[in-house]
Amino acid sequence: SQQGEEDPQALSIQEGENATMNCSYKTSINNLQWYRQNSGRGLVHLILIRSNEREKHSGRLRVTLDTSKKSSSLLITASRAADTASYFCATAGRSNDYKLSFGAGTTVTVRA
Amino acid sequence: GAGVSQSPSNKVTEKGKDVELRCDPISGHTALYWYRQRLGQGLEFLIYFQGNSAPDKSGLPSDRFSAERTGESVSTLTIQRTQQEDSAVYLCASSLAGRVEGWNTIYFGEGSWLTVV
């Protein structure tokens, strides 16, 4: 079963704007990761945040994690057309940390 | 190889036929995973290999699905007597070890798109 749920399902923004998407999950986690998928094919790992971390940055990406609310957010700043993709959050559980549970994803369209 | 390689890239098969999907993980990666992604949905875990053993095959949907791994390398996912509901992208991934952690990123292949008609 899918643990994570992303919100919104779809997002359309102008190039240069920021894109924010959220992820909620249900059970205790070891870590939470965000992935990007272009054209429905392979996933690319973007960033991992551990359960004892609250915020993490990587280039134009900023991820937050609130374990009390069981939620995370991904912010993409100064978006580019190349950021058009689907973004998924995935959680690794405490007891079976080899297994990722994915949400249904947020489809982001960046208009030039 | 440089990345996780999957074949075939696309497969159209008739309902009731068997299909085999192949995954070549990154060399040296002991952990290998199969996921399934239906159109517009997230990934569903199918099976996890550590070496040639599968300690967790809990995600396989039915006994029509099986997977094996040999030589701590190539893995094959077999679907017998395919049904239309099996239509999906089947993604393989590998990592150095089984634990999903910051030092141990999972690398995904491009997937095999299966269409059952």
Side-chain angles (χ1 to χ4, degrees), chain B residues 28-45:
Chain B
H29 280 193
T30 63
L32 186 147
Y33 318 79
W34 283 98
Y35 286 83
R36 177 172 73 178
Q37 184 180 28
R38 291 198 167 108
L39 188 65
Q41 298 186 22
L43 278 68
E44 303 171 69
F45 170 83

Side-chain angles (χ1 to χ4, degrees), chain B residues 6-69:
Chain B
Q6 291 188 245
S7 62
S9 180
N10 291 282
K11 174 74 175 179
V12 179
T13 190
E14 290 181 354
K15 179 180 169 182
K17 294 278 177 70
D18 298 352
V19 295
E20 282 190 355
L21 308 176
R22 177 187 169 107
C23 173
D24 280 275
I26 293 173
S27 178
H29 280 193
T30 63
L32 186 147
Y33 318 79
W34 283 98
Y35 286 83
R36 177 172 73 178
Q37 184 180 28
R38 291 198 167 108
L39 188 65
Q41 298 186 22
L43 278 68
E44 303 171 69
F45 170 83
L46 296 179
I47 188 169
Y48 155 62
F49 285 93
Q50 182 57 47
N52 292 335
S53 302
D56 188 346
K57 51 180 81 171
S58 63
L60 294 177
S62 73
D63 59 8
R64 295 187 296 104
F65 288 71
S66 63
E68 65 174 17
R69 188 180 185 194

Side-chain angles (χ1 to χ4, degrees), chain A residues 9-83:
Chain A
Q9 288 186 329
L11 184 59
S12 180
I13 55 174
Q14 201 72 30
E15 205 166 25
E17 292 180 341
N18 296 341
T20 301
M21 59 210 88
N22 304 294
C23 167
S24 59
Y25 58 92
K26 296 173 184 169
T27 60
S28 295
I29 61 171
N30 179 296
N31 62 68
L32 184 145
Q33 305 179 38
W34 285 90
Y35 286 82
R36 184 183 72 221
Q37 184 179 42
N38 291 88
S39 304
R41 299 310 288 245
L43 276 74
V44 174
H45 178 263
L46 295 176
I47 197 165
L48 177 150
I49 186 165
R50 294 184 178 84
S51 60
N52 62 351
E53 296 177 313
R54 293 296 165 257
E55 188 171 314
K56 206 156 182 185
H57 297 254
S58 176
R60 293 183 296 111
L61 305 179
R62 173 178 169 254
V63 168
T64 63
L65 179 65
D66 186 335
T67 53
S68 66
K69 295 180 180 177
K70 292 188 168 60
S71 68
S72 173
S73 68
L74 171 66
L75 168 69
I76 306 173
T77 60
S79 63
R80 305 167 181 168
D83 295 329

Side-chain angles (χ1 to χ4, degrees), chain B residues 75-98:
Chain B
S75 176
T76 303
L77 176 68
T78 301
I79 309 173
Q80 296 178 311
R81 304 181 302 281
T82 52
Q83 304 293 315
Q84 287 183 330
E85 71 228 33
D86 300 334
S87 296
V89 177
Y90 290 83
L91 290 151
C92 176
S94 71
S95 61
L96 271 172

